[in-house]
Amino acid sequence: MINQAISSHAMKVVHIAPHFNNCGNGVVNVAVDLACMQSRIGIDVVFVGAGGSFRELLTREGVTVHSIEVSSKRHLLSTYRNLRRVVGEFDPDIVHAHMIPGALFAYVLKRGARFKLITSVHNSGRFGTPLMSVGDISICASNYLAAEMRARGIPSRKIRVVLNGPLGSPRESSSSRDVTLKRPAVITIAELVTFKGLGDLIAAFSIVAAKSRDAHLYIVGAGPERSKFERQALASSCADRITFCGSIADPASHLRSADIFVLASHREGFGLVLAEARQAGCAIIATRTGGIPEVLDRGSAGILVPAHSPAHLAEALTHLIEDADLRQTWRANASRNLEWLACLRAAKETLSVYNEACGVSA
């Protein structure tokens, strides 16, 4: 059994996440996946977050759920009291925090408690990221993030790398309906904010669309800057071929229907959606930044282009749109070597970190 290293009792774990809402948030998706997989392999799991639609899934997987608004600055005292109650009653071996507020609350609660604090570093370039080092061990979602943490002065002895693994996730739905996209279909799935490179992608597609009259761009996601990108698309000469789809709880059907997936991020800790695009068999173009090259097997599973460069992005898009054989080659490349992206692999490796923190030899 995977948790056979725990000899005296079943391991007890508390996950603290921003929320448990199915809105495409990568941090939440990773936390929910880990909680569900750990419950499946015999760990006693509690999940704490502001609430959301994943409650049914978590409960069905045997995870105990507590709705606590951990990120609210207005209710710090009540949040602390609620967390202290949950942790005190559950008496966990591990508290696993997936965000800075949760990590800081857990650090305060750790005084006089027996649990070990594990933090997860999911994102790159965030000012507060070094605060995640308050844990006994910080798990980084990519080697890039681990190097970034070390560069900020966090000692290597406190850093471990567990690459994300979304494939085979309990979140996957077998009932998603097929959709029909106008082809060749280019798709991106991202939060609608500047650092995700949406402006670069729209600019690049405008260049491509002038030559490729049948190409269509589908932008899946929500975010605070949606109106800005909509204005940019409307001002282009191909506004009628750019569709803003909004947030989609299960975008797998859109990925399966697409020809090309693009992630134009300016920074990226890992890029879960790239793994999902690989599984769907899309030809992939992404920026050479952060942990993206790791997800794309250093460029063998997808075309890497410089960030902040619509011209390079347009060139790669043009080649794939105009050359069906080349597109098929990159679709095949994306579909190879997917085993390491498995959810169960990530859960096993995370458990190894827990055992190490608890001083248990696996």
Side-chain angles (χ1 to χ4, degrees), residues 190 195-197 263-268 286-289 292 307-308:
F195 80 85
K196 288 293 187 177
L263 188 63
S265 299
H266 300 160
R267 68 173 189 266
E268 196 73 52
T287 46
R288 189 183 290 105
T289 187
I292 288 175
H308 301 277

Side-chain angles (χ1 to χ4, degrees), residues 263-304:
L263 188 63
S265 299
H266 300 160
R267 68 173 189 266
E268 196 73 52
F270 184 82
L272 281 177
V273 70
L274 289 170
E276 293 163 353
R278 289 186 61 179
Q279 179 176 243
C282 296
I284 298 173
I285 304 170
T287 46
R288 189 183 290 105
T289 187
I292 288 175
E294 295 176 57
V295 190
L296 295 181
D297 294 337
R298 300 296 174 183
S300 64
I303 299 170
L304 295 170

Side-chain angles (χ1 to χ4, degrees), residues 68-130:
I68 300 176
E69 186 76 46
V70 181
S71 299
S72 173
K73 295 180 181 179
R74 297 175 57 188
H75 306 101
L76 292 177
L77 185 57
S78 62
T79 296
Y80 172 75
R81 288 172 175 167
N82 288 330
L83 281 173
R84 183 178 63 182
R85 173 183 54 80
V86 169
V87 171
E89 292 175 356
F90 187 57
D91 188 27
D93 301 281
I94 297 289
V95 172
H96 191 155
H98 296 267
M99 59 179 183
I100 292 169
L104 296 180
F105 276 120
Y107 179 72
V108 175
L109 290 169
K110 193 173 184 294
R111 180 172 297 181
R114 71 179 186 87
F115 68 79
K116 297 298 181 180
L117 175 56
I118 305 298
T119 61
S120 274
V121 180
H122 298 275
N123 300 310
S124 172
R126 299 294 176 89
F127 175 77
T129 299

Side-chain angles (χ1 to χ4, degrees), residues 128-151:
T129 299
L131 292 174
M132 298 301 277
S133 65
V134 298
D136 295 287
I137 296 177
S138 294
I139 295 177
C140 294
S142 65
N143 289 289
Y144 175 86
L145 287 173
E148 190 175 83
M149 289 285 280
R150 288 191 291 268

Side-chain angles (χ1 to χ4, degrees), residues 179-194:
V179 299
T180 300
L181 304 181
K182 295 179 180 179
R183 309 180 80 164
V186 180
I187 190 171
T188 189
I189 302 174
E191 183 183 5
L192 303 189
V193 291
T194 297

Side-chain angles (χ1 to χ4, degrees), residues 43-78:
I43 296 175
D44 195 358
V45 184
V46 164
F47 197 99
V48 175
S53 53
F54 277 136
R55 174 186 288 274
E56 182 181 351
L57 169 64
L58 288 162
T59 302
R60 187 169 66 246
E61 292 287 344
V63 177
T64 301
V65 180
H66 293 276
S67 296
I68 300 176
E69 186 76 46
V70 181
S71 299
S72 173
K73 295 180 181 179
R74 297 175 57 188
H75 306 101
L76 292 177
L77 185 57
S78 62

Side-chain angles (χ1 to χ4, degrees), residues 103 141 229 234 250 316 328 334:
F229 298 125
L234 283 171
D250 182 13
Q328 187 57 40

